mmCIF file of all heavy atoms in Angstrom:
data_model
loop_
_atom_site.group_PDB
_atom_site.id
_atom_site.type_symbol
_atom_site.label_atom_id
_atom_site.label_comp_id
_atom_site.label_asym_id
_atom_site.label_seq_id
_atom_site.Cartn_x
_atom_site.Cartn_y
_atom_site.Cartn_z
ATOM 1 N N ILE D 1 0.865 -1.180 0.000
ATOM 2 C CA ILE D 1 0.000 0.000 0.000
ATOM 3 C C ILE D 1 0.897 1.224 0.000
ATOM 4 O O ILE D 1 1.968 1.231 0.593
ATOM 5 C CB ILE D 1 -0.996 0.015 1.185
ATOM 6 C CG1 ILE D 1 -0.287 -0.110 2.534
ATOM 7 C CG2 ILE D 1 -2.032 -1.074 1.017
ATOM 8 C CD1 ILE D 1 -1.212 0.072 3.737
ATOM 9 N N TRP D 2 0.431 2.279 -0.717
ATOM 10 C CA TRP D 2 1.294 3.443 -0.931
ATOM 11 C C TRP D 2 0.435 4.684 -1.110
ATOM 12 O O TRP D 2 -0.726 4.602 -1.509
ATOM 13 C CB TRP D 2 2.131 3.215 -2.188
ATOM 14 C CG TRP D 2 3.351 4.090 -2.269
ATOM 15 C CD1 TRP D 2 3.465 5.255 -2.973
ATOM 16 C CD2 TRP D 2 4.603 3.886 -1.637
ATOM 17 N NE1 TRP D 2 4.718 5.782 -2.826
ATOM 18 C CE2 TRP D 2 5.441 4.945 -1.990
ATOM 19 C CE3 TRP D 2 5.102 2.904 -0.787
ATOM 20 C CZ2 TRP D 2 6.750 5.067 -1.545
ATOM 21 C CZ3 TRP D 2 6.406 3.022 -0.347
ATOM 22 C CH2 TRP D 2 7.211 4.091 -0.719
ATOM 23 N N THR D 3 1.030 5.823 -0.882
ATOM 24 C CA THR D 3 0.382 7.104 -1.126
ATOM 25 C C THR D 3 0.000 7.223 -2.600
ATOM 26 O O THR D 3 0.748 6.766 -3.473
ATOM 27 C CB THR D 3 1.349 8.255 -0.772
ATOM 28 O OG1 THR D 3 1.747 8.104 0.601
ATOM 29 C CG2 THR D 3 0.714 9.611 -0.967
ATOM 30 N N ASP D 4 -1.140 7.840 -2.886
ATOM 31 C CA ASP D 4 -1.573 8.038 -4.274
ATOM 32 C C ASP D 4 -0.647 9.041 -4.940
ATOM 33 O O ASP D 4 -0.683 10.225 -4.669
ATOM 34 C CB ASP D 4 -3.013 8.538 -4.318
ATOM 35 C CG ASP D 4 -3.555 8.653 -5.731
ATOM 36 O OD1 ASP D 4 -2.818 8.353 -6.687
ATOM 37 O OD2 ASP D 4 -4.725 9.041 -5.862
ATOM 38 N N ASN D 5 0.232 8.537 -5.810
ATOM 39 C CA ASN D 5 1.170 9.405 -6.519
ATOM 40 C C ASN D 5 0.925 9.393 -8.026
ATOM 41 O O ASN D 5 1.755 9.833 -8.799
ATOM 42 C CB ASN D 5 2.616 9.016 -6.205
ATOM 43 C CG ASN D 5 2.908 7.560 -6.514
ATOM 44 O OD1 ASN D 5 2.091 6.866 -7.111
ATOM 45 N ND2 ASN D 5 4.075 7.092 -6.105
ATOM 46 N N GLY D 6 -0.230 8.832 -8.436
ATOM 47 C CA GLY D 6 -0.629 8.872 -9.835
ATOM 48 C C GLY D 6 0.000 7.816 -10.723
ATOM 49 O O GLY D 6 -0.190 7.851 -11.934
ATOM 50 N N THR D 7 0.736 6.871 -10.150
ATOM 51 C CA THR D 7 1.376 5.854 -10.978
ATOM 52 C C THR D 7 0.376 4.769 -11.391
ATOM 53 O O THR D 7 -0.589 4.479 -10.682
ATOM 54 C CB THR D 7 2.571 5.213 -10.254
ATOM 55 O OG1 THR D 7 2.125 4.657 -9.015
ATOM 56 C CG2 THR D 7 3.659 6.247 -9.993
ATOM 57 N N SER D 8 0.631 4.147 -12.541
ATOM 58 C CA SER D 8 -0.317 3.177 -13.094
ATOM 59 C C SER D 8 -0.327 1.843 -12.353
ATOM 60 O O SER D 8 -1.239 1.042 -12.558
ATOM 61 C CB SER D 8 -0.056 2.964 -14.583
ATOM 62 O OG SER D 8 1.258 2.495 -14.787
ATOM 63 N N ASP D 9 0.659 1.593 -11.488
ATOM 64 C CA ASP D 9 0.629 0.344 -10.710
ATOM 65 C C ASP D 9 -0.477 0.367 -9.655
ATOM 66 O O ASP D 9 -0.792 -0.649 -9.058
ATOM 67 C CB ASP D 9 1.977 0.054 -10.044
ATOM 68 C CG ASP D 9 2.329 1.076 -8.978
ATOM 69 O OD1 ASP D 9 2.471 2.273 -9.319
ATOM 70 O OD2 ASP D 9 2.463 0.669 -7.810
ATOM 71 N N HIS D 10 -1.100 1.519 -9.447
ATOM 72 C CA HIS D 10 -2.224 1.642 -8.509
ATOM 73 C C HIS D 10 -3.563 1.362 -9.183
ATOM 74 O O HIS D 10 -4.597 1.451 -8.533
ATOM 75 C CB HIS D 10 -2.262 3.041 -7.889
ATOM 76 C CG HIS D 10 -1.128 3.313 -6.969
ATOM 77 N ND1 HIS D 10 -0.672 4.584 -6.708
ATOM 78 C CD2 HIS D 10 -0.332 2.494 -6.256
ATOM 79 C CE1 HIS D 10 0.340 4.533 -5.860
ATOM 80 N NE2 HIS D 10 0.566 3.269 -5.574
ATOM 81 N N LEU D 11 -3.535 1.050 -10.461
ATOM 82 C CA LEU D 11 -4.776 0.798 -11.196
ATOM 83 C C LEU D 11 -4.999 -0.701 -11.339
ATOM 84 O O LEU D 11 -4.097 -1.442 -11.729
ATOM 85 C CB LEU D 11 -4.708 1.456 -12.576
ATOM 86 C CG LEU D 11 -4.486 2.964 -12.567
ATOM 87 C CD1 LEU D 11 -4.360 3.480 -13.993
ATOM 88 C CD2 LEU D 11 -5.581 3.674 -11.813
ATOM 89 N N TRP D 12 -6.233 -1.116 -11.042
ATOM 90 C CA TRP D 12 -6.598 -2.529 -11.051
ATOM 91 C C TRP D 12 -7.893 -2.724 -11.810
ATOM 92 O O TRP D 12 -8.723 -1.826 -11.862
ATOM 93 C CB TRP D 12 -6.768 -3.035 -9.617
ATOM 94 C CG TRP D 12 -5.524 -2.879 -8.796
ATOM 95 C CD1 TRP D 12 -5.149 -1.781 -8.084
ATOM 96 C CD2 TRP D 12 -4.485 -3.829 -8.631
ATOM 97 N NE1 TRP D 12 -3.939 -1.993 -7.486
ATOM 98 C CE2 TRP D 12 -3.508 -3.242 -7.797
ATOM 99 C CE3 TRP D 12 -4.277 -5.121 -9.109
ATOM 100 C CZ2 TRP D 12 -2.347 -3.924 -7.430
ATOM 101 C CZ3 TRP D 12 -3.123 -5.785 -8.733
ATOM 102 C CH2 TRP D 12 -2.171 -5.186 -7.899
ATOM 103 N N GLN D 13 -8.051 -3.919 -12.341
ATOM 104 C CA GLN D 13 -9.285 -4.275 -13.032
ATOM 105 C C GLN D 13 -9.802 -5.577 -12.432
ATOM 106 O O GLN D 13 -9.038 -6.532 -12.263
ATOM 107 C CB GLN D 13 -8.998 -4.464 -14.521
ATOM 108 C CG GLN D 13 -10.204 -4.839 -15.324
ATOM 109 C CD GLN D 13 -9.871 -4.871 -16.817
ATOM 110 O OE1 GLN D 13 -8.992 -4.169 -17.291
ATOM 111 N NE2 GLN D 13 -10.582 -5.698 -17.547
ATOM 112 N N LEU D 14 -11.103 -5.596 -12.099
ATOM 113 C CA LEU D 14 -11.730 -6.826 -11.621
ATOM 114 C C LEU D 14 -12.222 -7.607 -12.831
ATOM 115 O O LEU D 14 -12.974 -7.085 -13.649
ATOM 116 C CB LEU D 14 -12.895 -6.516 -10.693
ATOM 117 C CG LEU D 14 -12.561 -5.788 -9.386
ATOM 118 C CD1 LEU D 14 -13.825 -5.503 -8.601
ATOM 119 C CD2 LEU D 14 -11.582 -6.605 -8.554
ATOM 120 N N VAL D 15 -11.790 -8.851 -12.948
ATOM 121 C CA VAL D 15 -12.168 -9.714 -14.060
ATOM 122 C C VAL D 15 -12.996 -10.857 -13.490
ATOM 123 O O VAL D 15 -12.491 -11.637 -12.660
ATOM 124 C CB VAL D 15 -10.915 -10.261 -14.787
ATOM 125 C CG1 VAL D 15 -11.322 -11.176 -15.921
ATOM 126 C CG2 VAL D 15 -10.030 -9.121 -15.260
ATOM 127 N N SER D 16 -14.252 -10.957 -13.906
ATOM 128 C CA SER D 16 -15.122 -11.999 -13.377
ATOM 129 C C SER D 16 -14.585 -13.378 -13.740
ATOM 130 O O SER D 16 -14.233 -13.645 -14.886
ATOM 131 C CB SER D 16 -16.539 -11.841 -13.914
ATOM 132 O OG SER D 16 -17.356 -12.904 -13.438
ATOM 133 N N ALA D 17 -14.540 -14.244 -12.726
ATOM 134 C CA ALA D 17 -14.171 -15.642 -12.934
ATOM 135 C C ALA D 17 -15.392 -16.535 -12.746
ATOM 136 O O ALA D 17 -15.284 -17.750 -12.711
ATOM 137 C CB ALA D 17 -13.061 -16.043 -11.968
ATOM 138 N N GLY D 18 -16.576 -15.896 -12.594
ATOM 139 C CA GLY D 18 -17.818 -16.623 -12.389
ATOM 140 C C GLY D 18 -18.052 -16.937 -10.920
ATOM 141 O O GLY D 18 -17.142 -16.852 -10.096
ATOM 142 N N SER D 19 -19.285 -17.263 -10.583
ATOM 143 C CA SER D 19 -19.676 -17.661 -9.222
ATOM 144 C C SER D 19 -19.317 -16.620 -8.169
ATOM 145 O O SER D 19 -18.995 -16.965 -7.029
ATOM 146 C CB SER D 19 -19.060 -19.013 -8.850
ATOM 147 O OG SER D 19 -19.462 -20.014 -9.748
ATOM 148 N N GLY D 20 -19.309 -15.332 -8.536
ATOM 149 C CA GLY D 20 -19.003 -14.275 -7.573
ATOM 150 C C GLY D 20 -17.528 -14.132 -7.247
ATOM 151 O O GLY D 20 -17.165 -13.410 -6.326
ATOM 152 N N GLU D 21 -16.684 -14.817 -7.995
ATOM 153 C CA GLU D 21 -15.239 -14.725 -7.785
ATOM 154 C C GLU D 21 -14.622 -13.833 -8.859
ATOM 155 O O GLU D 21 -15.122 -13.759 -9.979
ATOM 156 C CB GLU D 21 -14.600 -16.114 -7.827
ATOM 157 C CG GLU D 21 -15.089 -17.012 -6.707
ATOM 158 C CD GLU D 21 -14.566 -18.425 -6.812
ATOM 159 O OE1 GLU D 21 -14.177 -18.857 -7.929
ATOM 160 O OE2 GLU D 21 -14.565 -19.122 -5.787
ATOM 161 N N TYR D 22 -13.507 -13.189 -8.493
ATOM 162 C CA TYR D 22 -12.841 -12.262 -9.404
ATOM 163 C C TYR D 22 -11.340 -12.496 -9.404
ATOM 164 O O TYR D 22 -10.758 -12.889 -8.400
ATOM 165 C CB TYR D 22 -13.097 -10.806 -8.981
ATOM 166 C CG TYR D 22 -14.529 -10.409 -9.105
ATOM 167 C CD1 TYR D 22 -15.412 -10.610 -8.048
ATOM 168 C CD2 TYR D 22 -15.012 -9.861 -10.280
ATOM 169 C CE1 TYR D 22 -16.753 -10.256 -8.170
ATOM 170 C CE2 TYR D 22 -16.345 -9.503 -10.409
ATOM 171 C CZ TYR D 22 -17.208 -9.710 -9.338
ATOM 172 O OH TYR D 22 -18.526 -9.369 -9.472
ATOM 173 N N LYS D 23 -10.732 -12.209 -10.547
ATOM 174 C CA LYS D 23 -9.292 -12.074 -10.646
ATOM 175 C C LYS D 23 -9.028 -10.578 -10.593
ATOM 176 O O LYS D 23 -9.770 -9.796 -11.191
ATOM 177 C CB LYS D 23 -8.778 -12.661 -11.956
ATOM 178 C CG LYS D 23 -9.027 -14.158 -12.077
ATOM 179 C CD LYS D 23 -8.592 -14.675 -13.431
ATOM 180 C CE LYS D 23 -8.917 -16.153 -13.570
ATOM 181 N NZ LYS D 23 -8.497 -16.676 -14.884
ATOM 182 N N ILE D 24 -7.998 -10.170 -9.879
ATOM 183 C CA ILE D 24 -7.656 -8.755 -9.761
ATOM 184 C C ILE D 24 -6.392 -8.523 -10.577
ATOM 185 O O ILE D 24 -5.309 -8.970 -10.212
ATOM 186 C CB ILE D 24 -7.470 -8.348 -8.286
ATOM 187 C CG1 ILE D 24 -8.733 -8.679 -7.474
ATOM 188 C CG2 ILE D 24 -7.128 -6.858 -8.189
ATOM 189 C CD1 ILE D 24 -8.590 -8.441 -5.984
ATOM 190 N N GLU D 25 -6.570 -7.838 -11.705
ATOM 191 C CA GLU D 25 -5.480 -7.643 -12.662
ATOM 192 C C GLU D 25 -4.880 -6.247 -12.522
ATOM 193 O O GLU D 25 -5.593 -5.249 -12.516
ATOM 194 C CB GLU D 25 -6.013 -7.825 -14.078
ATOM 195 C CG GLU D 25 -4.969 -7.644 -15.148
ATOM 196 C CD GLU D 25 -5.542 -7.825 -16.549
ATOM 197 O OE1 GLU D 25 -6.347 -8.763 -16.749
ATOM 198 O OE2 GLU D 25 -5.201 -7.020 -17.426
ATOM 199 N N ASN D 26 -3.562 -6.185 -12.414
ATOM 200 C CA ASN D 26 -2.879 -4.902 -12.370
ATOM 201 C C ASN D 26 -2.813 -4.338 -13.785
ATOM 202 O O ASN D 26 -2.333 -4.995 -14.708
ATOM 203 C CB ASN D 26 -1.470 -5.065 -11.789
ATOM 204 C CG ASN D 26 -0.787 -3.744 -11.593
ATOM 205 O OD1 ASN D 26 -0.112 -3.245 -12.495
ATOM 206 N ND2 ASN D 26 -0.983 -3.143 -10.436
ATOM 207 N N VAL D 27 -3.309 -3.122 -13.962
ATOM 208 C CA VAL D 27 -3.359 -2.497 -15.283
ATOM 209 C C VAL D 27 -1.952 -2.257 -15.827
ATOM 210 O O VAL D 27 -1.704 -2.436 -17.022
ATOM 211 C CB VAL D 27 -4.175 -1.187 -15.219
ATOM 212 C CG1 VAL D 27 -4.067 -0.411 -16.519
ATOM 213 C CG2 VAL D 27 -5.630 -1.486 -14.876
ATOM 214 N N ASN D 28 -1.022 -1.900 -14.974
ATOM 215 C CA ASN D 28 0.346 -1.597 -15.398
ATOM 216 C C ASN D 28 1.067 -2.829 -15.943
ATOM 217 O O ASN D 28 1.747 -2.749 -16.954
ATOM 218 C CB ASN D 28 1.127 -1.004 -14.222
ATOM 219 C CG ASN D 28 2.491 -0.490 -14.602
ATOM 220 O OD1 ASN D 28 2.640 0.279 -15.544
ATOM 221 N ND2 ASN D 28 3.497 -0.904 -13.865
ATOM 222 N N SER D 29 0.913 -3.960 -15.280
ATOM 223 C CA SER D 29 1.674 -5.160 -15.645
ATOM 224 C C SER D 29 0.857 -6.206 -16.399
ATOM 225 O O SER D 29 1.427 -7.065 -17.066
ATOM 226 C CB SER D 29 2.246 -5.818 -14.389
ATOM 227 O OG SER D 29 1.182 -6.332 -13.587
ATOM 228 N N GLY D 30 -0.471 -6.180 -16.231
ATOM 229 C CA GLY D 30 -1.318 -7.215 -16.810
ATOM 230 C C GLY D 30 -1.295 -8.507 -16.024
ATOM 231 O O GLY D 30 -1.855 -9.517 -16.446
ATOM 232 N N LEU D 31 -0.640 -8.500 -14.856
ATOM 233 C CA LEU D 31 -0.529 -9.693 -14.018
ATOM 234 C C LEU D 31 -1.599 -9.678 -12.921
ATOM 235 O O LEU D 31 -2.178 -8.636 -12.620
ATOM 236 C CB LEU D 31 0.871 -9.780 -13.413
ATOM 237 C CG LEU D 31 2.002 -9.871 -14.442
ATOM 238 C CD1 LEU D 31 3.358 -9.787 -13.756
ATOM 239 C CD2 LEU D 31 1.895 -11.150 -15.256
ATOM 240 N N LEU D 32 -1.833 -10.850 -12.329
ATOM 241 C CA LEU D 32 -2.901 -11.002 -11.333
ATOM 242 C C LEU D 32 -2.375 -10.957 -9.912
ATOM 243 O O LEU D 32 -1.270 -11.423 -9.620
ATOM 244 C CB LEU D 32 -3.613 -12.343 -11.536
ATOM 245 C CG LEU D 32 -4.234 -12.595 -12.898
ATOM 246 C CD1 LEU D 32 -4.881 -13.970 -12.924
ATOM 247 C CD2 LEU D 32 -5.249 -11.512 -13.242
ATOM 248 N N LEU D 33 -3.222 -10.449 -9.020
ATOM 249 C CA LEU D 33 -2.919 -10.454 -7.597
ATOM 250 C C LEU D 33 -3.064 -11.875 -7.078
ATOM 251 O O LEU D 33 -4.069 -12.544 -7.337
ATOM 252 C CB LEU D 33 -3.900 -9.523 -6.877
ATOM 253 C CG LEU D 33 -3.533 -9.076 -5.477
ATOM 254 C CD1 LEU D 33 -2.262 -8.239 -5.494
ATOM 255 C CD2 LEU D 33 -4.678 -8.269 -4.882
ATOM 256 N N GLY D 34 -2.046 -12.361 -6.399
ATOM 257 C CA GLY D 34 -2.058 -13.721 -5.868
ATOM 258 C C GLY D 34 -1.268 -13.816 -4.580
ATOM 259 O O GLY D 34 -0.809 -12.810 -4.041
ATOM 260 N N ILE D 35 -1.106 -15.035 -4.099
ATOM 261 C CA ILE D 35 -0.425 -15.301 -2.840
ATOM 262 C C ILE D 35 0.794 -16.176 -3.111
ATOM 263 O O ILE D 35 0.716 -17.169 -3.838
ATOM 264 C CB ILE D 35 -1.371 -16.023 -1.853
ATOM 265 C CG1 ILE D 35 -2.695 -15.265 -1.699
ATOM 266 C CG2 ILE D 35 -0.694 -16.234 -0.508
ATOM 267 C CD1 ILE D 35 -2.575 -13.871 -1.136
ATOM 268 N N THR D 36 1.928 -15.823 -2.511
ATOM 269 C CA THR D 36 3.158 -16.576 -2.696
ATOM 270 C C THR D 36 2.945 -18.057 -2.430
ATOM 271 O O THR D 36 2.419 -18.433 -1.384
ATOM 272 C CB THR D 36 4.268 -16.036 -1.769
ATOM 273 O OG1 THR D 36 4.525 -14.677 -2.096
ATOM 274 C CG2 THR D 36 5.556 -16.837 -1.913
ATOM 275 N N ASN D 37 3.341 -18.881 -3.389
ATOM 276 C CA ASN D 37 3.244 -20.339 -3.294
ATOM 277 C C ASN D 37 1.838 -20.822 -2.969
ATOM 278 O O ASN D 37 1.675 -21.890 -2.386
ATOM 279 C CB ASN D 37 4.241 -20.877 -2.268
ATOM 280 C CG ASN D 37 5.669 -20.594 -2.670
ATOM 281 O OD1 ASN D 37 6.034 -20.697 -3.834
ATOM 282 N ND2 ASN D 37 6.484 -20.200 -1.709
ATOM 283 N N ALA D 38 0.811 -20.027 -3.315
ATOM 284 C CA ALA D 38 -0.586 -20.372 -3.048
ATOM 285 C C ALA D 38 -0.811 -20.694 -1.570
ATOM 286 O O ALA D 38 -1.670 -21.487 -1.207
ATOM 287 C CB ALA D 38 -1.058 -21.517 -3.937
ATOM 288 N N SER D 39 -0.046 -20.029 -0.711
ATOM 289 C CA SER D 39 -0.128 -20.270 0.729
ATOM 290 C C SER D 39 -1.518 -19.951 1.273
ATOM 291 O O SER D 39 -2.201 -19.056 0.794
ATOM 292 C CB SER D 39 0.898 -19.402 1.461
ATOM 293 O OG SER D 39 0.763 -19.553 2.856
ATOM 294 N N LYS D 40 -1.924 -20.682 2.293
ATOM 295 C CA LYS D 40 -3.189 -20.439 2.994
ATOM 296 C C LYS D 40 -2.935 -19.962 4.420
ATOM 297 O O LYS D 40 -3.837 -19.933 5.246
ATOM 298 C CB LYS D 40 -4.033 -21.707 2.994
ATOM 299 C CG LYS D 40 -4.429 -22.134 1.590
ATOM 300 C CD LYS D 40 -5.239 -23.405 1.601
ATOM 301 C CE LYS D 40 -5.551 -23.819 0.171
ATOM 302 N NZ LYS D 40 -6.281 -25.082 0.122
ATOM 303 N N SER D 41 -1.706 -19.561 4.713
ATOM 304 C CA SER D 41 -1.315 -19.135 6.053
ATOM 305 C C SER D 41 -1.477 -17.637 6.252
ATOM 306 O O SER D 41 -1.206 -16.854 5.337
ATOM 307 C CB SER D 41 0.142 -19.506 6.315
ATOM 308 O OG SER D 41 0.328 -20.899 6.209
ATOM 309 N N SER D 42 -1.865 -17.239 7.445
ATOM 310 C CA SER D 42 -1.921 -15.822 7.787
ATOM 311 C C SER D 42 -0.534 -15.217 7.627
ATOM 312 O O SER D 42 0.472 -15.844 7.972
ATOM 313 C CB SER D 42 -2.381 -15.634 9.237
ATOM 314 O OG SER D 42 -3.716 -16.024 9.381
#
C-alpha cells in the first residue's frame, strides 16, 4: 500500500471468474494479484 502518486501500478481491473469470484489484474503489468506459493497461512 502506498500514497496516491498517480502511478499506473495503482490501477486494477476486476475480471469476473464466475460464481461471484474475481481475478484482480494490475493495469500496469497485466498480471494477477495472488499469494506466494498459493499459501493459505496468515
